[in-house]
């Protein structure tokens, strides 16, 4: 089985609804119903693992969801904070929602049917991301799932990398580093910084992209619970 990649797809703390704008690359590949199905698979996979129950998802009716695809699952933990208090003393009683990165794991290669890859990467993001402790039953109701379904990898020249459109996989020998298309947008990186930081992710010198490292790109369709209504 292909190595599971850990990668951050957004800043560790992000206010809900304040997602950076990523330029659209094409019409959506997945319908609203297909997105709901995949997000539901992710939530159920985590829930079943917490309940120590085997998760056996039946193949979906949509053949597109059974095709082998690369996918990254990102988990956020939502927190409700007291409403804003203004300098003149008045306050807003509503709760402000913010989210904190809780895990991000994915397959860089299409080694499993998409629906199964979503289940496996969701479980791994919840329980096997080495940067975080495992998700607890108390946290599960506050999890938001975001899925990034990747296109096939293709070679790319550094000068043609487009920030906001392309994700990158840079490799040299046994070292590989991957960053999703949304990362440079969120971090306000230019093309050169994006290339350097992908090298850094691989554990390579920052200028490895100039010195023999293999550079591959991909695009991604990104959608989350906040984009559709999801019920487990």
């Amino acid at each position: 089985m292909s190595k599971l990649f850990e990668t951050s797809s957004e800043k560790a703390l992000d206010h809900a609804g304040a997602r950076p704008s990523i330029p659209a690359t094409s019409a959506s590949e997945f319908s609203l119903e297909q997105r709901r199905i995949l997000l539901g698979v992710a939530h159920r996979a985590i829930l079943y693992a917490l309940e120590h129950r085997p998760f056996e998802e039946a193949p979906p009716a949509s053949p597109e969801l059974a095709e082998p695809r690369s996918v990254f699952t990102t988990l956020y933990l939502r927190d409700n904070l007291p409403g804003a208090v203004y300098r003149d003393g008045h306050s807003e009683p509503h709760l402000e929602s913010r989210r904190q990165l809780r895990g991000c794991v994915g397959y860089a290669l299409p080694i499993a049917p998409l629906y199964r890859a979503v289940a496996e990467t969701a479980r791994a993001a919840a329980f096997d991301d080495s940067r975080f402790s495992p998700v607890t039953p108390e946290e599960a109701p506050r999890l938001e799932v975001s899925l990034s379904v990747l296109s096939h990898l293709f070679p790319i020249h550094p000068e043609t990398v487009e920030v906001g459109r392309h994700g990158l996989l840079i490799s040299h020998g046994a070292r590989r580093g991957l960053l999703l298309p949304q990362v440079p947008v969120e971090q306000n990186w230019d093309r050169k910084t994006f290339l350097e930081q992908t090298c850094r992710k691989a554990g390579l010198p920052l200028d490895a992209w100039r010195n023999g490292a293999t550079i591959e790109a991909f695009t991604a369709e990104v959608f989350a619970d906040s984009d559709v209504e999801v019920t487990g």
Side-chain angles (χ1 to χ4, degrees):
M1 181 168 287
S2 176
K3 177 185 175 184
L4 284 162
F5 275 78
E6 297 173 2
T7 183
S8 57
S9 68
E10 289 197 27
K11 297 177 182 178
L13 187 62
D14 178 41
H15 287 273
R19 289 202 222 170
S21 175
I22 298 176
T25 58
S26 63
S28 295
E29 179 178 358
F30 300 102
S31 69
L32 184 62
E33 181 59 25
Q34 288 173 328
R35 292 178 176 209
R36 286 188 179 125
I37 289 171
L38 292 173
L39 291 164
V41 166
H43 280 283
R44 288 193 296 277
I46 295 169
L47 180 61
Y48 278 44
L50 285 168
E51 296 175 348
H52 305 287
R53 289 194 286 161
F55 181 74
E56 298 179 0
E57 185 77 12
S62 299
E64 297 88 351
L65 304 189
E67 294 178 359
R69 294 293 297 268
S70 309
V71 64
F72 277 74
T73 299
T74 305
L75 303 180
Y76 300 98
L77 188 64
R78 287 194 174 276
D79 291 307
N80 287 328
L81 302 177
V85 177
Y86 295 91
R87 289 185 179 182
D88 63 4
H90 85 279
S91 63
E92 296 285 349
H94 69 277
L95 293 178
E96 180 186 3
S97 181
R98 68 176 184 179
R99 62 185 187 175
Q100 184 173 0
L101 182 66
R102 196 62 181 82
C104 183
V105 174
Y107 288 137
L109 299 175
I111 52 84
L114 179 56
Y115 74 95
R116 199 174 78 211
V118 166
E120 292 173 359
T121 57
R123 282 196 300 265
F127 306 110
D128 299 328
D129 189 329
S130 62
R131 299 167 295 176
F132 303 95
S133 59
V135 166
T136 66
E138 293 74 24
E139 291 175 321
R142 295 189 287 124
L143 286 179
E144 178 179 340
V145 173
S146 176
L147 299 177
S148 299
V149 183
L150 278 54
S151 71
H152 294 294
L153 292 166
F154 53 90
I156 193 168
H157 190 276
E159 294 303 317
T160 62
V161 172
E162 294 183 34
V163 170
R165 174 181 172 84
H166 294 130
L168 290 177
L169 176 66
I170 294 182
S171 58
H172 187 74
R175 296 185 179 273
R176 294 193 299 172
L178 181 147
L179 289 176
L180 298 173
Q182 47 272 53
V183 174
V185 178
E186 293 148 6
Q187 302 295 335
N188 294 315
W189 292 341
D190 58 17
R191 180 191 295 116
K192 178 173 177 288
T193 304
F194 186 23
L195 288 157
E196 291 175 343
Q197 290 302 312
T198 311
C199 291
R200 178 177 176 271
K201 186 74 177 179
L204 296 169
L206 295 184
D207 62 351
W209 61 278
R210 299 180 185 271
N211 297 302
T214 299
I215 307 172
E216 296 174 284
F218 57 89
T219 58
E221 183 163 341
V222 183
F223 50 93
D225 293 339
S226 55
D227 300 319
V228 299
E229 294 181 3
V230 175
T231 58

